[in-house]
Amino acid sequence: QVQLVESGGGLVQPGGSLRLSCAASGSIFRLYAMGWYRQAPGKQRELVAAITGGGSTNYADSVAGRFTISRDNAKSTVYLQMNTLKPEDTAVYYCNAGPIRTVVGGLGGDYWGQGTQVTVSS
């Protein structure tokens, strides 16, 4: 029903910026909350940021003030602008879609992207 494809990952120095994009195919994109999860080696998957269909946002404490999630329903795309990147931000980042209570309050919605690697290192 919905397919998600992430892009924009790469290698960046500490303090740098990167913008991730997630393009969704499907006719019900605007009805879903969207989120960005990340998983680093040896760590559990964690929610980084989420946005509802109406534009309300939530952020993990570790990224609040540095990351911004946004969505463009006309383009069926969600973005994650990452500023002042730190080495601990290094992880595979996954786009996620589903009801807000699953994206934020559960283990994630039913739809996942393939992941994009973000590496922050000097």
Side-chain angles (χ1 to χ4, degrees):
Q1 186 175 13
V2 177
Q3 292 181 305
L4 307 174
V5 180
E6 304 99 332
S7 62
L11 175 64
V12 64
Q13 293 185 337
S17 297
L18 209 59
R19 189 178 77 157
L20 306 183
S21 298
C22 174
S25 62
S27 62
I28 59 172
F29 174 82
R30 69 178 185 86
L31 301 178
Y32 283 127
M34 304 291 297
W36 288 95
Y37 279 78
R38 68 185 181 188
Q39 187 166 27
K43 295 184 178 180
Q44 289 190 311
R45 181 183 60 190
E46 64 174 346
L47 178 66
V48 176
I51 185 167
T52 69
S56 298
T57 59
N58 294 279
Y59 296 95
D61 290 342
S62 60
V63 307
R66 299 188 298 120
F67 290 12
T68 302
I69 188 171
S70 61
R71 66 190 294 163
D72 186 337
N73 289 339
K75 297 181 179 179
S76 297
T77 301
V78 63
Y79 305 94
L80 185 67
Q81 178 66 47
M82 304 183 292
N83 298 325
T84 319
L85 283 161
K86 303 175 180 179
E88 55 260 43
D89 295 319
T90 296
V92 177
Y93 284 70
Y94 297 92
C95 185
N96 179 239
I100 185 63
R101 71 182 190 88
T102 63
V103 173
V104 174
L107 300 178
D110 288 339
Y111 301 99
W112 294 90
Q114 83 285 355
T116 185
Q117 177 71 48
V118 172
T119 302
V120 184
S121 177
S122 60

